mmCIF file of all heavy atoms in Angstrom:
data_model
loop_
_atom_site.group_PDB
_atom_site.id
_atom_site.type_symbol
_atom_site.label_atom_id
_atom_site.label_comp_id
_atom_site.label_asym_id
_atom_site.label_seq_id
_atom_site.Cartn_x
_atom_site.Cartn_y
_atom_site.Cartn_z
ATOM 1 N N ASP A 1 1.933 -22.808 9.886
ATOM 2 C CA ASP A 1 1.648 -21.785 10.621
ATOM 3 C C ASP A 1 2.680 -20.608 10.697
ATOM 4 O O ASP A 1 2.448 -19.429 10.891
ATOM 5 C CB ASP A 1 1.526 -22.158 12.142
ATOM 6 C CG ASP A 1 0.360 -22.994 12.377
ATOM 7 O OD1 ASP A 1 -0.675 -22.831 11.520
ATOM 8 O OD2 ASP A 1 0.249 -23.685 13.335
ATOM 9 N N ASP A 2 3.875 -21.055 10.168
ATOM 10 C CA ASP A 2 5.008 -19.901 10.012
ATOM 11 C C ASP A 2 4.766 -19.083 8.743
ATOM 12 O O ASP A 2 5.589 -18.148 8.691
ATOM 13 C CB ASP A 2 6.210 -20.613 10.142
ATOM 14 C CG ASP A 2 6.683 -21.406 9.088
ATOM 15 O OD1 ASP A 2 5.667 -22.061 8.489
ATOM 16 O OD2 ASP A 2 7.827 -21.639 8.679
ATOM 17 N N LEU A 3 3.685 -19.375 7.897
ATOM 18 C CA LEU A 3 3.561 -18.465 6.854
ATOM 19 C C LEU A 3 2.277 -17.768 7.043
ATOM 20 O O LEU A 3 1.258 -18.398 7.526
ATOM 21 C CB LEU A 3 3.468 -19.468 5.485
ATOM 22 C CG LEU A 3 4.776 -20.125 5.223
ATOM 23 C CD1 LEU A 3 4.598 -20.979 4.017
ATOM 24 C CD2 LEU A 3 5.938 -19.064 4.848
ATOM 25 N N LYS A 4 2.075 -16.591 6.412
ATOM 26 C CA LYS A 4 0.789 -15.929 6.257
ATOM 27 C C LYS A 4 0.447 -15.777 4.901
ATOM 28 O O LYS A 4 1.139 -15.460 4.009
ATOM 29 C CB LYS A 4 0.878 -14.589 7.098
ATOM 30 C CG LYS A 4 1.933 -13.635 6.500
ATOM 31 C CD LYS A 4 1.806 -12.296 7.185
ATOM 32 C CE LYS A 4 3.032 -11.517 6.516
ATOM 33 N NZ LYS A 4 3.073 -10.180 7.226
ATOM 34 N N ILE A 5 -0.792 -16.022 4.629
ATOM 35 C CA ILE A 5 -1.436 -15.748 3.267
ATOM 36 C C ILE A 5 -1.556 -14.316 3.092
ATOM 37 O O ILE A 5 -2.054 -13.514 3.752
ATOM 38 C CB ILE A 5 -2.718 -16.389 3.104
ATOM 39 C CG1 ILE A 5 -2.649 -17.913 3.157
ATOM 40 C CG2 ILE A 5 -3.390 -16.109 1.739
ATOM 41 C CD1 ILE A 5 -3.920 -18.747 3.171
ATOM 42 N N LEU A 6 -0.984 -13.801 1.920
ATOM 43 C CA LEU A 6 -1.003 -12.491 1.560
ATOM 44 C C LEU A 6 -2.208 -12.052 0.639
ATOM 45 O O LEU A 6 -2.869 -11.113 0.700
ATOM 46 C CB LEU A 6 0.397 -11.921 0.856
ATOM 47 C CG LEU A 6 1.583 -12.175 1.827
ATOM 48 C CD1 LEU A 6 2.810 -11.847 0.918
ATOM 49 C CD2 LEU A 6 1.514 -11.396 3.030
ATOM 50 N N LEU A 7 -2.332 -12.860 -0.437
ATOM 51 C CA LEU A 7 -3.416 -12.782 -1.435
ATOM 52 C C LEU A 7 -3.573 -13.885 -2.104
ATOM 53 O O LEU A 7 -2.642 -14.927 -2.170
ATOM 54 C CB LEU A 7 -3.283 -11.602 -2.264
ATOM 55 C CG LEU A 7 -2.200 -11.302 -3.258
ATOM 56 C CD1 LEU A 7 -2.315 -12.251 -4.479
ATOM 57 C CD2 LEU A 7 -2.052 -9.869 -3.580
ATOM 58 N N VAL A 8 -4.617 -14.128 -2.906
ATOM 59 C CA VAL A 8 -4.930 -15.251 -3.825
ATOM 60 C C VAL A 8 -5.077 -14.603 -5.294
ATOM 61 O O VAL A 8 -5.780 -13.573 -5.349
ATOM 62 C CB VAL A 8 -6.214 -15.952 -3.469
ATOM 63 C CG1 VAL A 8 -6.444 -17.099 -4.488
ATOM 64 C CG2 VAL A 8 -6.030 -16.605 -2.010
ATOM 65 N N ILE A 9 -4.386 -15.210 -6.172
ATOM 66 C CA ILE A 9 -4.560 -14.850 -7.547
ATOM 67 C C ILE A 9 -5.452 -15.820 -8.286
ATOM 68 O O ILE A 9 -5.114 -17.020 -8.332
ATOM 69 C CB ILE A 9 -3.246 -14.751 -8.265
ATOM 70 C CG1 ILE A 9 -2.349 -13.751 -7.591
ATOM 71 C CG2 ILE A 9 -3.402 -14.409 -9.784
ATOM 72 C CD1 ILE A 9 -0.839 -13.711 -8.093
ATOM 73 N N ALA A 10 -6.565 -15.450 -8.713
ATOM 74 C CA ALA A 10 -7.480 -16.261 -9.471
ATOM 75 C C ALA A 10 -7.068 -16.262 -10.926
ATOM 76 O O ALA A 10 -6.677 -15.220 -11.437
ATOM 77 C CB ALA A 10 -8.919 -15.888 -9.390
ATOM 78 N N ILE A 11 -7.077 -17.511 -11.533
ATOM 79 C CA ILE A 11 -6.592 -17.612 -12.980
ATOM 80 C C ILE A 11 -7.677 -18.445 -13.802
ATOM 81 O O ILE A 11 -8.213 -19.455 -13.267
ATOM 82 C CB ILE A 11 -5.226 -18.315 -13.075
ATOM 83 C CG1 ILE A 11 -4.182 -17.625 -12.255
ATOM 84 C CG2 ILE A 11 -4.762 -18.532 -14.396
ATOM 85 C CD1 ILE A 11 -3.623 -16.393 -12.769
ATOM 86 N N GLY A 12 -7.788 -17.997 -14.915
ATOM 87 C CA GLY A 12 -8.770 -18.715 -15.862
ATOM 88 C C GLY A 12 -8.881 -17.983 -17.134
ATOM 89 O O GLY A 12 -8.167 -16.883 -17.328
ATOM 90 N N GLU A 13 -9.688 -18.541 -18.049
ATOM 91 C CA GLU A 13 -9.941 -17.761 -19.286
ATOM 92 C C GLU A 13 -11.134 -16.791 -18.949
ATOM 93 O O GLU A 13 -12.214 -17.280 -18.480
ATOM 94 C CB GLU A 13 -10.407 -18.826 -20.324
ATOM 95 C CG GLU A 13 -10.725 -18.108 -21.699
ATOM 96 C CD GLU A 13 -11.344 -19.037 -22.689
ATOM 97 O OE1 GLU A 13 -11.109 -20.288 -22.554
ATOM 98 O OE2 GLU A 13 -11.754 -18.609 -23.796
ATOM 99 N N PRO A 14 -10.845 -15.526 -19.224
ATOM 100 C CA PRO A 14 -11.940 -14.526 -19.004
ATOM 101 C C PRO A 14 -13.171 -14.795 -19.776
ATOM 102 O O PRO A 14 -13.160 -15.161 -20.926
ATOM 103 C CB PRO A 14 -11.344 -13.211 -19.468
ATOM 104 C CG PRO A 14 -9.873 -13.378 -19.331
ATOM 105 C CD PRO A 14 -9.678 -14.883 -19.716
ATOM 106 N N ALA A 15 -14.398 -14.609 -19.013
ATOM 107 C CA ALA A 15 -15.633 -14.742 -19.605
ATOM 108 C C ALA A 15 -16.413 -13.462 -19.504
ATOM 109 O O ALA A 15 -17.518 -13.298 -19.460
ATOM 110 C CB ALA A 15 -16.416 -15.805 -18.971
ATOM 111 N N GLU A 16 -15.501 -12.444 -19.484
ATOM 112 C CA GLU A 16 -16.223 -10.979 -19.336
ATOM 113 C C GLU A 16 -15.355 -9.940 -20.137
ATOM 114 O O GLU A 16 -14.148 -10.137 -20.168
ATOM 115 C CB GLU A 16 -16.567 -10.574 -17.867
ATOM 116 C CG GLU A 16 -15.168 -10.406 -17.211
ATOM 117 C CD GLU A 16 -15.548 -9.844 -15.732
ATOM 118 O OE1 GLU A 16 -16.629 -9.324 -15.379
ATOM 119 O OE2 GLU A 16 -14.675 -10.050 -14.942
ATOM 120 N N GLN A 17 -15.860 -8.987 -20.411
ATOM 121 C CA GLN A 17 -15.283 -7.839 -21.053
ATOM 122 C C GLN A 17 -15.052 -6.733 -20.053
ATOM 123 O O GLN A 17 -15.989 -6.457 -19.392
ATOM 124 C CB GLN A 17 -16.013 -7.238 -22.334
ATOM 125 C CG GLN A 17 -15.187 -6.112 -22.898
ATOM 126 C CD GLN A 17 -16.021 -5.508 -24.142
ATOM 127 O OE1 GLN A 17 -17.154 -5.809 -24.395
ATOM 128 N NE2 GLN A 17 -15.357 -4.639 -24.827
ATOM 129 N N VAL A 18 -13.728 -6.199 -19.891
ATOM 130 C CA VAL A 18 -13.311 -5.337 -18.967
ATOM 131 C C VAL A 18 -12.872 -4.069 -19.847
ATOM 132 O O VAL A 18 -11.949 -4.281 -20.617
ATOM 133 C CB VAL A 18 -12.267 -5.678 -18.064
ATOM 134 C CG1 VAL A 18 -11.975 -4.581 -17.020
ATOM 135 C CG2 VAL A 18 -12.807 -6.923 -17.168
ATOM 136 N N VAL A 19 -13.352 -2.877 -19.630
ATOM 137 C CA VAL A 19 -12.989 -1.721 -20.484
ATOM 138 C C VAL A 19 -12.491 -0.602 -19.520
ATOM 139 O O VAL A 19 -12.977 -0.552 -18.392
ATOM 140 C CB VAL A 19 -14.075 -1.177 -21.420
ATOM 141 C CG1 VAL A 19 -14.439 -2.125 -22.418
ATOM 142 C CG2 VAL A 19 -15.286 -0.808 -20.595
ATOM 143 N N ILE A 20 -11.556 0.111 -20.035
ATOM 144 C CA ILE A 20 -10.977 1.250 -19.222
ATOM 145 C C ILE A 20 -11.754 2.527 -19.771
ATOM 146 O O ILE A 20 -11.869 2.807 -20.851
ATOM 147 C CB ILE A 20 -9.499 1.485 -19.440
ATOM 148 C CG1 ILE A 20 -8.646 0.254 -18.913
ATOM 149 C CG2 ILE A 20 -9.088 2.611 -18.836
ATOM 150 C CD1 ILE A 20 -7.299 0.224 -19.265
ATOM 151 N N ASP A 21 -12.256 3.323 -18.791
ATOM 152 C CA ASP A 21 -13.045 4.552 -19.166
ATOM 153 C C ASP A 21 -12.218 5.758 -18.463
ATOM 154 O O ASP A 21 -11.581 5.584 -17.464
ATOM 155 C CB ASP A 21 -14.405 4.535 -18.436
ATOM 156 C CG ASP A 21 -15.372 3.532 -19.036
ATOM 157 O OD1 ASP A 21 -15.137 3.175 -20.207
ATOM 158 O OD2 ASP A 21 -16.206 3.056 -18.344
ATOM 159 N N PRO A 22 -12.330 6.872 -19.048
ATOM 160 C CA PRO A 22 -11.743 8.061 -18.390
ATOM 161 C C PRO A 22 -12.529 8.333 -17.036
ATOM 162 O O PRO A 22 -13.626 8.143 -17.010
ATOM 163 C CB PRO A 22 -11.911 9.232 -19.396
ATOM 164 C CG PRO A 22 -12.701 8.570 -20.494
ATOM 165 C CD PRO A 22 -13.025 7.204 -20.319
ATOM 166 N N LEU A 23 -11.720 8.727 -16.077
ATOM 167 C CA LEU A 23 -12.261 9.107 -14.908
ATOM 168 C C LEU A 23 -13.126 10.394 -15.064
ATOM 169 O O LEU A 23 -12.806 11.309 -15.539
ATOM 170 C CB LEU A 23 -11.178 9.406 -13.841
ATOM 171 C CG LEU A 23 -11.685 9.504 -12.449
ATOM 172 C CD1 LEU A 23 -12.086 8.247 -11.790
ATOM 173 C CD2 LEU A 23 -10.505 10.066 -11.509
ATOM 174 N N GLY A 24 -14.374 10.305 -14.550
ATOM 175 C CA GLY A 24 -15.383 11.460 -14.793
ATOM 176 C C GLY A 24 -14.915 12.618 -13.943
ATOM 177 O O GLY A 24 -14.093 12.583 -12.956
ATOM 178 N N THR A 25 -15.666 13.711 -14.101
ATOM 179 C CA THR A 25 -15.363 14.965 -13.244
ATOM 180 C C THR A 25 -15.832 14.770 -11.851
ATOM 181 O O THR A 25 -15.452 15.651 -10.911
ATOM 182 C CB THR A 25 -16.077 16.200 -13.967
ATOM 183 O OG1 THR A 25 -17.520 15.783 -14.106
ATOM 184 C CG2 THR A 25 -15.480 16.474 -15.276
ATOM 185 N N ASP A 26 -16.715 13.758 -11.641
ATOM 186 C CA ASP A 26 -17.121 13.500 -10.316
ATOM 187 C C ASP A 26 -16.085 12.846 -9.362
ATOM 188 O O ASP A 26 -16.281 12.572 -8.268
ATOM 189 C CB ASP A 26 -18.499 12.695 -10.150
ATOM 190 C CG ASP A 26 -18.294 11.305 -10.855
ATOM 191 O OD1 ASP A 26 -17.146 10.948 -11.322
ATOM 192 O OD2 ASP A 26 -19.256 10.576 -10.786
ATOM 193 N N CYS A 27 -15.005 12.467 -9.933
ATOM 194 C CA CYS A 27 -13.832 11.706 -9.449
ATOM 195 C C CYS A 27 -14.243 10.356 -8.816
ATOM 196 O O CYS A 27 -13.594 9.778 -7.897
ATOM 197 C CB CYS A 27 -13.148 12.531 -8.282
ATOM 198 S SG CYS A 27 -12.410 13.998 -8.884
ATOM 199 N N GLY A 28 -15.290 9.705 -9.422
ATOM 200 C CA GLY A 28 -15.788 8.520 -9.026
ATOM 201 C C GLY A 28 -14.717 7.348 -9.500
ATOM 202 O O GLY A 28 -14.474 7.194 -10.690
ATOM 203 N N ILE A 29 -14.148 6.671 -8.507
ATOM 204 C CA ILE A 29 -13.116 5.687 -8.969
ATOM 205 C C ILE A 29 -13.649 4.254 -8.964
ATOM 206 O O ILE A 29 -13.051 3.285 -9.323
ATOM 207 C CB ILE A 29 -11.848 5.687 -7.965
ATOM 208 C CG1 ILE A 29 -12.295 5.465 -6.573
ATOM 209 C CG2 ILE A 29 -11.185 6.848 -8.218
ATOM 210 C CD1 ILE A 29 -11.324 5.163 -5.677
ATOM 211 N N LYS A 30 -14.927 4.126 -8.536
ATOM 212 C CA LYS A 30 -15.550 2.814 -8.449
ATOM 213 C C LYS A 30 -15.873 2.048 -9.701
ATOM 214 O O LYS A 30 -16.432 2.806 -10.739
ATOM 215 C CB LYS A 30 -16.957 2.763 -7.641
ATOM 216 C CG LYS A 30 -16.720 3.131 -6.198
ATOM 217 C CD LYS A 30 -18.009 3.243 -5.424
ATOM 218 C CE LYS A 30 -17.816 3.495 -4.042
ATOM 219 N NZ LYS A 30 -18.941 3.531 -3.227
#
């Protein structure tokens, strides 16, 4: 009880591709 959980880090071998795109002119960050 004297500890609080801050976050959880999930770990594994990725099964998906993640790509970085330039932010569009609509400023959509989602």
Side-chain angles (χ1 to χ4, degrees):
D1 289 342
D2 62 329
L3 296 175
K4 63 180 176 181
I5 294 173
L6 303 176
L7 62 78
V8 175
I9 303 173
I11 303 282
E13 180 182 346
E16 66 180 340
Q17 181 181 9
V18 179
V19 297
I20 297 173
D21 294 330
L23 191 68
T25 56
D26 64 353
C27 293
I29 58 164
K30 293 182 177 182

